[in-house]
Amino acid sequence: MKVSIFDVAKKSGLSVVTVSRVLNGAESVREKNRQRVLEAIKELDYRPNAAARSLARGKTGIVGLIVTTLQDSFFDAVVKELNEVLALHGYFLAVSVSTGIGSDEAHYLIQEDRVDGLILLSPMEEDNYIVELKRRNIPYVLIDNQKPENDAFSVTIDNYKGGYAATKHLLDQGHTSIAHLSGHNMFRSTRERRSGFLQALEEKNLAPFDMITGEFEIDFGYDICRKWLREGRLPSAVFAGDDNIALGVVNALLEEGIKVPEQVAIVGYDDQHISSKLHPHLTTVRQPADRIGVAAADMLLKRMDGTMKRGANVRIDPELIVRESTGTPAEGTSGS
């Protein structure tokens, strides 16, 4: 038997009017009551009738999401959180995997009356999107955008803090010869993580063992580590710009019988699902996908209902997750 709004009201001990206000994002509801309603919705697995509500509001009931790839467990976790939060408010999430605004998928989503709002997850060509969305008067939110000047209506991660925390952890373990392998400079996250890395080294009057940019791919980390091995030199630690790069370095080291972390310590970034499944378990910097998704959904909902007029940026701190791939360097390891 289908759960109704009346069932939610009964379960929460509140009125149907209060439940309706929560579903529509009204700010007049007390936070305590809002939480009671949300808990009842979750327990009952209530799904609002999006079609009826959309008709009443004169809207589509659809929120668009444009992302460059879904082959990334961090992106996947953000999308899952967005979907759950928006569903609680009666919205259907339409996902488009697109490399730019000129693609058919992106063009379809932002045509007039297709969506009530749009979320851009780690967008490229963000300026072009913003111009078009403003022209069509479509509320939008950016997640992990590339340009600070577009931070109005955005949720970003403090990648500088992440890069600094990862490097400081290695320094605290006694490492003085640390390499950094990163993604392309076009990504804001690359530039910020590198800045944090360099700041931590500068505080100890140390220079990087090496800094190389490439792809966020396992092959990139593997190939660079093989290059170091051919040259007969290794750092005592590596801060990788993402977990894929880190795993590539680990693979190359283990092939040569070099122990991780005893001889070379590794820190990754993102806390991808695979990071805690392979051995050694990877020390990494976690981007809290749940907080990112909730913050972005909340911002877009407020933009769509007109309660947020002025731009705002939510900056979320990452978290260092210490696992097996870091430790004190083996005695006598010079790293050069």
Side-chain angles (χ1 to χ4, degrees), residues 40-197:
I41 287 171
K42 199 163 188 178
E43 284 182 37
L44 296 172
D45 195 26
Y46 172 64
R47 290 289 180 268
N49 187 325
R53 295 182 67 230
S54 297
L55 187 63
R57 294 179 305 199
K59 296 185 178 182
T60 67
I62 298 172
V63 167
L65 171 69
I66 295 177
V67 61
T68 53
T69 180
L70 284 178
Q71 296 182 359
D72 182 299
S73 64
F74 166 66
F75 283 2
D76 185 55
V78 173
V79 173
K80 181 176 181 290
E81 196 68 35
L82 286 169
N83 187 57
E84 289 182 358
V85 175
L86 291 169
L88 287 176
H89 290 82
Y91 285 96
F92 174 78
L93 185 66
V95 180
S96 170
V97 180
S98 171
T99 55
I101 194 168
S103 68
D104 290 340
E105 297 87 350
H107 180 69
Y108 179 83
L109 268 189
I110 63 178
Q111 285 184 58
E112 290 182 80
D113 301 325
R114 295 285 187 191
V115 295
D116 295 335
L118 195 74
I119 297 171
L120 297 167
L121 175 53
S122 200
M124 306 306 295
E125 301 180 16
E126 63 191 60
D127 288 337
N128 295 335
Y129 279 113
I130 290 170
V131 168
E132 185 68 7
L133 291 167
K134 285 181 176 178
R135 187 177 75 81
R136 294 180 179 274
N137 200 30
I138 299 174
Y140 66 87
V141 169
L142 308 177
I143 300 176
D144 190 32
N145 53 296
Q146 310 309 328
K147 296 184 177 181
E149 57 265 34
N150 293 330
D151 276 356
F153 306 118
S154 71
V155 177
T156 57
I157 301 89
D158 196 331
N159 284 292
Y160 172 86
K161 281 186 179 178
Y164 182 87
T167 310
K168 188 175 185 304
H169 172 64
L170 292 171
L171 291 167
D172 289 345
Q173 296 282 49
H175 295 279
T176 57
S177 177
I178 307 173
H180 179 43
L181 305 182
S182 66
H184 284 298
N185 285 325
M186 72 177 79
F187 296 109
R188 180 181 182 180
S189 59
T190 290
R191 302 189 298 272
E192 290 185 348
R193 291 169 196 176
R194 184 189 299 123
S195 294
F197 166 75

